[in-house]
Amino acid sequence: MNMFQRIKLVAARDFLVTVSSKGFLIGVFIMPVMGLLLVVMIPKIMAQRGAQLTVEVALIDGSNSMTEALKRELDPAVIAARREAGRRAAAEQAAPGAGQAAPATPDLSAPIFTIKQLPADSAIDAQKAWLTDDKLDKRARRALLSIPANAVARPGTGEYGTYALYAPRNLPEDAETLLHDAMRVALTTERLRADGLDPEVIQKATRVARARTVMVSPDGKQQGSPGLNRALPFIMGILLFMGVMIGGQGMMTSTIEEKSSRVVEVLLAAVSPLELMWGKLLGHLGIGLVMMAVYVGLGVLALTQFAMFGLIDPLLIVYLLAFFLIAYLVFGAIMLAIGAAVNQLADAQSLMGPVMLLLVTPYILTPFIGQRPDSTFAVAMSFIPPINPFAMLARLASSSPPPAWQVLLSLAVGLLAAWIAVWFAAKIFRIGLLMHGKPPSFGTLIKWARMS
Amino acid sequence: MDSTGEIRVQPALRLQGVEKSFGAQRAVSALDLAVPKGETCGLIGPSGAGKTTSIRLIMSILFPDSGQVEVLGRASALEAKDRVGYLPEERGVYRKMKVGAFLKYLAGLKGTPESAALSRARELLSQLGLDDILQKKCEDLSKGMLQRVQFVGSILHKPELLILDEPFSGLDPVSVRMLKSVVADERRRGTTILFSTHVMAQAEELCDRVVMIHKGRKVLDESMSTLRRRYDPTRVLFEPLDADADLSVLRDVPGVLSLQRSEGDVQLRLAAGTDPASVIREVAARVTPARIEIARIRLEDVFVDFVRGEGGESEVALRQHLQGLAGEKA
């Protein structure tokens, strides 16, 4: 029985035990499901109300021309059309060409507005009691708009006046926003009309749809979807983060379990600490890879469905694997050392704090690095372990990939860091496995590394 | 071969000048040890004496600060792990794993093919009263059952050297008997066995040789036959047929130094060089015996002799511990 066979057996056991556990299956599939929930379901759930709100708007119109315009802008169909247009504009902003016109149907989540016109000389203070009347129906709300005459017709070439909105505390934010939106459109229309201009002509003249940017690569091929390009660095960051977390954390808990159940000494009778460590590292590397394969596979499948797979450079998947290997070895080795050093999971928390910080920070930075891949910060981060896999991968996935020498240098720096981390972990692992008692600090770990 | 001429074959295990300290505390001090092939050697001494550390040094789980360890002719146990069986004192299992899978895994790590491992596991488990448990999860077994499973795990691959660290601790008497019978089988197979215990009676029963460790130092390394020759016979145990018989007449039996009464019987200490047969004849002539016999050497007495005068715990507490009555010492 040689060393490699023993390492293979340890790795196979850890791998099979983990991937066949319910926890792993739930862990791998729960993330995409939760993501879907977050994106699709939550806004819908949030928008749902028990019953529709009605808002009675009292209007003191000093200009004597706004009532009809406001009624028109607060019509449910017009509100729905305005919301739809806003959504389309946002979608165009994120991914030009994606926003498609949909028929405007009344938005059931929006409140229904009714206008109650008051005499133009009504005093606002006198209406405040009406506004705050608490004997209203549960689903009824009130608001008061006051429009001065100069809000529509300005004196000479001076500035326009503006309106005021009075509302009780219980007026929902979306109702307030809808009122402001309606007022903005109604006022603009009426002001133009008062100056003798045709609002429809002006509206058409000022609307310029955001054009689709066509990315052109040096070989002349057209590349599309800058939206996907923008999201890619972050997606790479998530994949790297999750692969390291699932592989590393599983390895740490299994080591703690082996230590606390005292099975470790039985194992050490058959394998050396180094063989045990490499077996665990490789077994859980396999688990991280399975997880990433599932997600990358799902992603590729989704892109193929929309005939967009050509938008991703397949080399990026190779880079993802290479940098995952580095990030996993660096963070995994540290987590493994922590697992070997403590006696129970609770003791590992204090040591895991700094490690988590080092893991989460670069992952959060990936979208920013992806946006400015050539900034000094992004370039510097590409060579500083343990952040470099995240930074370099974000740059590789960005619209402006780094030169080859930087990629190679980052890989070399990463491999060196991985070697140091594994060397350090091996020293801690050998001593820690048989240590019981008070959980060690980072200082103690360094002392152990020196001792062995 | 050493000066006594007792070691006639190449030792299965040899330690030379092995030292190990943890910080300021010296756990093992200048330990020399040679266990010939096929011999059963007991590593004895109270808990905390350094037995487990010595065993971990032999197994290359710990490494000595100085000195040499040679296992089955190799410079380290790492090079001979497949030929060594080890049951540690701190033994555990993968709780969620099935017994069969766990044993297959352990045997696999030692290079034993799956089918051979399983058939031997079935045979050994049955011998230990554990039929049909291969499909059970480890967490569903009692502590005693698990201990027997772990023992099976240590001998599945038919080791040439078997190291057992306190193998009987915590077991009920029936399990102890079953385990001893399997140990005896291994011994017949020619396996060299090193086992540690703090219960001296177990060492007396099973060992060809005992190595006594106290505070990290070897204080005795003798074959049981030499020990018996050296210390025996110094005492005769006598139980009168008539419980009320006058025993004072035994005081002036030639060669008897002292009489010591305990529950129902009397212990006669003999002067060195006294022929116990003549004492027995004389005692039987004076008071009719229900039972009269030569007392065998007890390792417990040898050990207590060694540590007497060093202070520390009382002799009563030490004897209780060495008889396995007081359990593990902290």
Side-chain angles (χ1 to χ4, degrees):
Chain A
M1 191 83 176
N2 65 36
M3 181 178 155
F4 296 105
Q5 285 169 307
R6 283 194 286 261
I7 291 175
K8 198 178 90 186
L9 271 172
V10 173
R13 194 210 80 91
D14 271 34
F15 178 80
L16 290 174
V17 164
T18 310
V19 293
S20 61
S21 70
K22 284 184 206 126
F24 177 75
L25 293 174
I26 294 169
V28 164
F29 291 107
I30 210 150
M31 294 297 264
V33 171
M34 275 180 58
L36 264 180
L37 274 181
L38 223 66
V39 173
V40 179
M41 299 299 289
I42 304 287
K44 285 198 174 166
I45 293 168
M46 294 291 281
Q48 268 178 8
R49 292 208 172 100
Q52 198 152 40
L53 273 187
T54 55
V55 182
E56 193 179 359
V57 184
L59 180 65
I60 303 173
D61 183 9
S63 70
N64 283 321
S65 61
M66 281 294 290
T67 313
E68 283 313 307
L70 194 59
K71 271 185 183 163
R72 189 178 60 240
E73 293 305 328
L74 286 174
D75 182 81
V78 176
I79 288 176
R82 206 165 42 237
R83 277 193 170 177
E84 183 53 37
R87 257 197 292 274
R88 245 189 347 257
E92 280 287 326
Q93 184 86 15
Q100 309 228 327
T105 47
D107 193 340
L108 290 177
S109 66
I112 290 175
F113 293 91
T114 53
I115 307 257
K116 171 187 158 192
Q117 193 161 15
L118 298 177
D121 55 355
S122 304
I124 287 161
D125 284 345
Q127 299 302 322
K128 283 188 179 165
W130 174 81
L131 265 181
T132 53
D133 182 2
D134 56 2
K135 291 191 189 75
L136 279 179
D137 183 82
K138 261 194 347 204
R139 312 301 309 167
R141 299 286 187 273
R142 282 175 176 172
L144 170 69
L145 276 169
S146 163
I147 307 169
N150 67 358
V152 176
R154 58 186 169 157
T157 54
E159 290 293 317
Y160 287 107
T162 192
Y163 66 96
L165 172 66
Y166 299 86
R169 227 181 259 272
N170 66 359
L171 186 73
E173 200 185 329
D174 62 336
E176 187 191 336
T177 309
L178 284 173
L179 273 174
H180 283 300
D181 286 350
M183 273 307 292
R184 185 174 40 78
V185 179
L187 265 180
T188 316
T189 312
E190 289 312 308
R191 282 171 183 178
L192 291 171
R193 200 163 277 154
D195 274 354
L197 299 165
D198 183 352
E200 214 165 304
V201 172
I202 305 272
Q203 209 179 22
K204 280 182 181 161
T206 51
R207 188 191 297 144
V208 179
R210 190 185 162 112
R212 175 178 180 166
T213 316
V214 181
M215 300 284 187
V216 180
S217 59
D219 56 9
K221 272 191 211 157
Q222 283 193 357
Q223 294 183 327
S225 190
L228 179 70
N229 274 359
R230 261 177 224 126
L232 214 47
F234 187 57
I235 293 172
M236 291 290 137
I238 292 180
L239 283 173
L240 212 54
F241 175 79
M242 285 186 36
V244 170
M245 275 306 287
I246 288 189
Q249 196 124 36
M251 181 162 55
M252 186 180 81
T253 39
S254 90
T255 309
I256 295 174
E257 188 203 327
E258 278 166 2
K259 197 180 158 185
S260 64
S261 73
R262 315 268 166 153
V263 79
V264 72
E265 197 163 342
V266 177
L267 296 179
L268 289 180
V271 297
S272 71
L274 202 66
E275 289 164 359
L276 183 61
M277 188 190 85
W278 273 110
K280 299 194 82 64
L281 269 173
L282 294 178
H284 289 268
L285 171 70
I287 292 158
L289 282 174
V290 165
M291 192 281 310
M292 292 224 307
V294 169
Y295 290 166
V296 170
L298 285 176
V300 167
L301 201 70
L303 287 176
T304 317
Q305 284 286 313
F306 297 106
M308 284 165 80
F309 182 61
L311 303 180
I312 290 186
D313 185 357
L315 199 60
L316 196 58
I317 296 176
V318 177
Y319 283 132
L320 173 66
L321 281 180
F323 282 104
F324 166 67
L325 185 71
I326 290 172
Y328 170 79
L329 282 178
V330 172
F331 285 102
I334 296 171
M335 290 183 190
L336 186 64
I338 291 174
V342 301
N343 302 314
Q344 46 186 335
L345 203 54
D347 296 341
Q349 300 308 328
S350 59
L351 291 171
M352 275 299 283
V355 180
M356 285 306 294
L357 199 69
L358 277 175
L359 189 56
V360 171
T361 311
Y363 150 65
I364 292 173
L365 286 175
T366 47
F368 303 103
I369 291 174
Q371 270 170 26
R372 297 181 190 279
D374 300 321
S375 63
T376 315
F377 176 76
V379 174
M381 288 300 115
S382 310
F383 306 115
I384 299 176
I387 296 170
N388 64 323
F390 288 88
M392 190 43 98
L393 205 55
R395 292 177 65 201
L396 281 164
S398 74
S399 49
S400 169
W405 71 266
Q406 288 195 7
V407 181
L408 290 176
L409 182 61
S410 181
L411 277 171
V413 168
L415 284 173
L416 180 70
W419 185 81
I420 293 171
V422 172
W423 170 84
F424 173 77
K427 302 213 156 220
I428 305 289
F429 196 74
R430 214 183 92 182
I431 292 190
L433 279 182
L434 294 172
M435 287 278 187
H436 292 279
K438 200 177 106 197
S441 62
F442 266 112
T444 319
L445 294 189
I446 289 165
K447 209 172 87 187
W448 287 359
R450 279 203 194 137
M451 249 165 73
S452 63
Chain B
M1 187 180 288
D2 68 9
S3 57
T4 62
E6 284 184 9
I7 298 168
R8 293 182 183 86
V9 285
Q10 191 203 3
L13 178 65
R14 191 204 301 270
L15 273 72
Q16 276 183 321
V18 170
E19 309 248 352
K20 181 72 187 174
S21 299
F22 297 107
Q25 194 192 349
R26 179 159 286 193
V28 174
S29 196
L31 180 62
D32 293 325
L33 178 68
V35 182
K37 277 185 181 157
E39 196 176 77
T40 300
C41 175
L43 197 58
I44 59 176
S47 300
K51 303 188 298 291
T52 296
T53 304
S54 304
I55 285 176
R56 285 178 173 172
L57 290 168
I58 292 168
M59 288 304 298
S60 293
I61 290 171
L62 294 176
F63 294 90
D65 299 334
S66 62
Q68 285 179 329
V69 177
E70 200 183 293
V71 177
L72 296 172
R74 302 300 186 96
S76 142
L78 289 175
E79 296 171 27
K81 278 200 166 173
D82 291 357
R83 296 155 64 202
V84 182
Y86 175 45
L87 179 71
E89 185 184 15
E90 290 183 346
R91 37 197 164 238
V93 289
Y94 288 107
R95 300 190 57 77
K96 300 278 175 201
M97 236 174 156
K98 286 182 178 166
V99 172
F102 176 63
L103 290 176
K104 258 191 315 194
Y105 178 55
L106 288 185
L109 288 175
K110 299 281 192 180
T112 307
E114 206 171 279
S115 56
L118 272 181
S119 70
R120 183 157 154 85
R122 272 197 203 95
E123 190 185 309
L124 288 166
L125 287 170
S126 160
Q127 211 177 334
L128 290 168
L130 297 173
D131 294 290
D132 305 323
I133 63 155
L134 287 175
Q135 289 306 313
K136 284 193 177 162
K137 277 191 176 176
C138 291
E139 64 186 353
D140 296 332
L141 303 187
S142 72
K143 195 173 164 242
M145 289 162 104
L146 276 181
Q147 200 161 329
R148 281 176 274 166
V149 167
Q150 287 150 339
F151 177 70
V152 168
S154 69
I155 57 170
L156 267 183
H157 58 296
K158 297 189 176 173
E160 292 168 47
L161 171 65
L162 178 59
I163 296 178
L164 307 169
D165 197 354
E166 299 277 2
F168 308 112
S169 72
L171 281 181
D172 62 272
V174 179
S175 302
V176 169
R177 203 164 54 229
M178 288 194 280
L179 220 60
K180 278 180 183 167
S181 94
V182 180
V183 171
D185 287 349
E186 283 300 296
R187 204 173 160 181
R188 274 193 289 277
R189 205 170 55 78
T191 313
T192 310
I193 301 172
L194 175 74
F195 88 94
S196 85
T197 179
H198 69 282
V199 182
M200 300 295 157
Q202 288 169 357
E204 284 165 19
E205 185 185 343
L206 293 170
C207 296
D208 301 317
R209 156 184 297 268
V210 287
V211 173
M212 199 174 271
I213 294 189
H214 180 55
K215 293 183 178 168
R217 284 189 176 279
K218 185 171 83 174
V219 292
L220 177 81
D221 183 355
E222 299 275 13
S223 70
M224 281 304 288
S225 56
T226 311
L227 266 180
R228 286 186 183 121
R229 269 203 309 277
R230 184 184 302 170
Y231 287 89
D232 273 0
T234 58
R235 287 170 298 129
V236 166
L237 292 178
F238 172 67
E239 187 187 335
L241 189 64
D242 176 7
D244 299 325
D246 174 20
L247 300 179
S248 60
V249 295
L250 302 179
R251 281 187 198 284
D252 55 354
V253 171
V256 171
L257 287 179
S258 65
L259 281 181
Q260 195 182 351
R261 283 169 191 267
S262 59
E263 286 173 25
D265 66 4
V266 179
Q267 224 182 78
L268 299 104
R269 265 179 61 113
L270 310 186
T274 308
D275 173 18
S278 67
V279 174
I280 286 173
R281 271 195 305 275
E282 188 60 35
V283 168
R286 294 190 187 190
V287 181
T288 311
R291 176 173 67 96
I292 185 161
E293 64 188 34
I294 296 169
R296 310 303 299 183
I297 174 67
R298 293 197 311 168
L299 285 171
E300 181 189 321
D301 297 326
V302 178
F303 188 81
V304 170
D305 274 352
F306 271 112
V307 301
R308 186 176 280 144
E310 286 192 10
E313 66 191 314
S314 73
E315 185 178 323
V316 176
L318 182 61
R319 280 187 184 276
Q320 276 186 346
H321 180 65
L322 297 177
Q323 287 162 15
L325 297 175
E328 294 296 310
K329 288 201 303 185

